[in-house]
Amino acid sequence: NKYLTYYKPAMQFVVFCAIMSMAFLVGSFLAEVLNNKFLGMGAVELSNLKSVSSEVAFKLKLLNPILLIFILMLPALLFAYLAYPSATQYLGLHSKTSLNYFAIGVLILFVSLPFVSALEEWMQLIPFFKSIEKDNYNVLTEAMLAGTSTSDLIINTLSICLIPALAEELLFRGCMQQIFLNWLKKYPYIAILIVAIIFSAFHGQLSGFIPRVYLGFILGLVYYYTGNLWITIVMHFINNFITVFF
């Protein structure tokens, strides 16, 4: 009984939170060291920037995937290793799924995107969100997305599309959703919604909170019904890539 799946979901959640707390502590320390070394500023100074130079933006694109690997991907892999005899099986990475399911997943994503855009527009009609100036998340993201060369597109695809899609799906759908599904067996959709809310809150962008909850819920449903994390990784990647490409 050395694997976490033999224990109650509450215990699994405690272990998961402990691993994540350690990861955030190590990740925060690493981020501070790397930011000071390569950017010449700490996290507080970075968060207060009103504009970002192309040089700083390029360095951020290189640092971002490193931090995501330490803060999200490695903790997810560690938890999966502790949870089940086969970590890849626990995460849903071993499943052989027909290409038709991938096609259906991508189709679901494209059908959902117009509603996501509508949600974003509706959010701007709410006085609370309309009065908010550009938050730091938007400032940094727009600076990182800037660029018109092929090399910019390749770097952005790796840094903003691929690594985040892998890391976030491993943690939120592969690990966290399974914990909450075991915890709330009678209410799977509530479990998926809770994870979607946490997923959206993690990004820290208030203006896009509700649209991201919706996307997280869609990804959670696809993983719940297919049991294959590769499908949600592909969907997540495509969603990110559309933004980066345009």
Side-chain angles (χ1 to χ4, degrees), residues 117-132 138 205-208:
S117 298
L119 282 175
E120 291 175 347
E121 292 181 9
W122 294 341
M123 291 272 295
Q124 296 304 315
L125 298 177
I126 302 173
F128 175 71
F129 293 106
K130 192 175 181 179
S131 63
I132 295 177
N138 284 335
Q205 184 194 24
L206 186 60
S207 58

Side-chain angles (χ1 to χ4, degrees), residues 143-163:
M144 292 169 67
L145 288 173
T148 56
S149 67
T150 304
S151 59
D152 288 325
L153 179 61
I154 293 172
I155 294 172
N156 285 347
T157 299
L158 293 173
S159 176
I160 303 175
C161 303
L162 182 59
I163 300 300

Side-chain angles (χ1 to χ4, degrees), residues 62-246:
L62 299 181
L63 295 177
N64 184 58
I66 296 173
L67 295 176
L68 284 177
I69 288 170
F70 272 91
I71 296 174
L72 300 183
M73 188 179 294
L74 291 180
L77 294 174
L78 175 60
F79 182 83
Y81 174 79
L82 296 174
Y84 202 72
S86 171
T88 55
Q89 187 174 354
Y90 178 82
L91 292 167
L93 296 173
H94 75 296
S95 305
K96 292 183 179 180
T97 304
S98 169
L99 290 176
N100 292 335
Y101 286 101
F102 282 92
I104 292 171
V106 172
L107 179 62
I108 290 172
L109 173 66
F110 279 108
V111 169
S112 302
L113 288 179
F115 185 63
V116 172
S117 298
L119 282 175
E120 291 175 347
E121 292 181 9
W122 294 341
M123 291 272 295
Q124 296 304 315
L125 298 177
I126 302 173
F128 175 71
F129 293 106
K130 192 175 181 179
S131 63
I132 295 177
E133 296 181 358
K134 277 188 177 181
D135 52 32
N136 181 252
Y137 180 93
N138 284 335
V139 172
L140 295 177
T141 302
E142 287 180 8
M144 292 169 67
L145 288 173
T148 56
S149 67
T150 304
S151 59
D152 288 325
L153 179 61
I154 293 172
I155 294 172
N156 285 347
T157 299
L158 293 173
S159 176
I160 303 175
C161 303
L162 182 59
I163 300 300
L166 279 168
E168 291 174 14
E169 289 307 307
L170 283 170
L171 183 78
F172 291 104
R173 252 63 64 179
C175 294
M176 189 183 293
Q177 181 166 303
Q178 295 211 67
I179 295 171
F180 278 97
L181 283 172
N182 289 331
W183 208 341
L184 303 170
K185 290 182 179 179
K186 295 182 179 180
Y187 312 99
Y189 300 120
I190 293 178
I192 294 170
L193 179 60
I194 291 172
V195 175
I197 292 171
I198 298 173
F199 165 74
S200 183
F202 167 78
H203 289 78
Q205 184 194 24
L206 186 60
S207 58
F209 180 78
I210 294 177
R212 230 179 3 256
V213 169
Y214 173 73
L215 276 175
F217 188 72
I218 294 297
L219 291 171
L221 284 176
V222 170
Y223 183 53
Y224 175 65
Y225 283 110
T226 64
N228 190 317
L229 196 67
W230 289 116
I231 298 176
T232 61
I233 289 172
V234 169
M235 292 172 65
H236 197 146
F237 170 82
I238 292 174
N239 178 69
N240 293 350
F241 183 74
I242 290 172
T243 302
V244 166
F245 182 81
F246 282 103

